[in-house]
């Protein structure tokens, strides 16, 4: 039988068994200019550490481009290239294709090299969704697209994005006397879209760096499995979410434990809830009230009890009525007449 897909070998990246097993060598170092408590900077640090030295990083315009490459300096130890806002998908595909061609022509040593393209939620879930989608349909090329999601266009002063939660205060959705709730859209389900719409994509996952070991192992799995992969990371943002920077780690935990941010992976078409999310789904632990999460953030300071109750009802719906809790928003018609017309 003919072989239509030619996947090059990938690096063997076994999961880290414990925090003490993580290598000490750093590939994203000091000198960056991110905000105090920036969870996205931690994602870059752990992403680079998980990938290792034989890695190329492509960064689209956003917080993690501007803060990490300023005035002819950079925190990247790995080879790094800036790409335009919204082009992380095409950059990942292009770099992977270029490596494949150069190795085939003998102009480079034949070896597996990780290709990672990162983007923010504005450059990924909004402007870059088409390019990411196109890349995930090309099974021949090994690359990881990582979307760090601080739920706003944080680089340009916290504007509303497709990933901004319902009701949040941003510079484009400031609450006022006439209309308290200016933003009335629910957060875009980016990872769910990528998993459901790209059946040949071998790995899609959600992570939060408050659970750092699990997040790093997801990155290693994505790089080692072969073909294009996608990871969606939730990154608490002290500036945009309006909280004290020392609470970043705790805010990430609350997002998961309240059920607002479910952790899961889809590997070769098989869905698996992971970590605390799996424990919540199995009824081993209870979801915390979303009030505990919302009231820790100044962007929700204008919420009334009715607003919090509505937000809670939407999260409850996600867990109790969706076909797969927090992942697939379809529902089965268990009450309707399912008989043929």
């Amino acid at each position: 039988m003919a072989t239509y897909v030619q996947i090059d070998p990938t690096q063997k990246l076994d999961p880290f068994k414990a925090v003490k097993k993580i290598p000490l060598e750093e590939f994203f170092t000091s000198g960056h200019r991110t905000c105090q408590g920036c969870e996205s900077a931690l994602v870059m640090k752990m992403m680079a550490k998980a990938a290792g030295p034989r890695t190329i990083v492509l960064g689209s315009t956003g917080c993690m481009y501007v803060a990490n490459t300023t005035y002819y300096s950079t925190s990247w130890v790995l080879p790094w290239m800036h790409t335009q806002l919204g082009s992380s998908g095409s950059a990942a595909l292009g770099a992977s294709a270029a490596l494949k061609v150069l190795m085939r022509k003998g102009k480079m040593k034949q070896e597996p090299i990780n290709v990672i393209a990162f983007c923010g939620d504005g450059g990924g879930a909004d402007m870059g969704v088409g390019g990411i989608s196109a890349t995930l349909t090309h099974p021949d090329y090994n690359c990881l697209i990582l979307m760090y999601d601080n739920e706003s266009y944080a680089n340009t002063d916290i504007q509303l994005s497709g990933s901004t939660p319902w009701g949040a205060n941003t510079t484009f959705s400031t609450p006022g006397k006439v209309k308290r709730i200016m933003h009335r859209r629910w957060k875009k389900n980016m990872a769910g879209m990528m998993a459901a719409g790209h059946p040949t994509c071998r790995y899609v996952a959600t992570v939060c760096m408050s659970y750092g070991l699990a997040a790093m192992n997801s990155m290693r799995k994505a790089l080692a499995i072969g073909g294009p992969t996608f990871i969606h990371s939730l990154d608490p943002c002290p500036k945009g979410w309006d909280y004290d920077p020392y609470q970043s780690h705790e805010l990430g935990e609350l997002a998961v434990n309240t059920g607002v941010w479910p952790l899961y992976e889809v590997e070769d078409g098989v869905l698996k809830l992971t970590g605390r999310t799996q424990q919540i789904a199995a009824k081993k632990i209870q979801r915390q009230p979303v009030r505990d999460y919302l009231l820790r953030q100044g962007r929700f300071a204008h919420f009334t009890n009715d607003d919090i109750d509505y937000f809670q009802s939407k999260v409850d719906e996600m867990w109790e009525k969706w076909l797969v809790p927090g992942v697939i928003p379809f529902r089965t018609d268990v009450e309707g007449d399912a008989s043929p017309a």
Side-chain angles (χ1 to χ4, degrees), residues 31 33 68-75:
R33 295 167 177 84
N68 299 328
T69 53
T70 310
Y71 304 119
Y72 299 101
S73 67
T74 181
S75 298

Side-chain angles (χ1 to χ4, degrees), residues 181-237:
I181 302 297
M182 292 295 293
H183 173 48
R184 298 176 177 272
R185 295 176 295 168
W186 201 248
K187 181 182 174 75
K188 189 180 290 187
N189 185 2
M190 182 65 175
M193 285 195 298
M194 297 301 103
H198 304 86
T200 58
C201 175
R202 297 191 61 195
Y203 191 77
V204 173
T206 61
V207 301
C208 179
M209 204 49 73
S210 294
Y211 299 93
L213 185 65
M216 293 177 73
N217 284 337
S218 287
M219 295 170 186
R220 288 172 72 83
K221 184 181 289 188
L223 291 167
I225 198 170
T229 54
F230 179 79
I231 289 180
H232 186 172
S233 170
L234 180 72
D235 298 8
C237 172

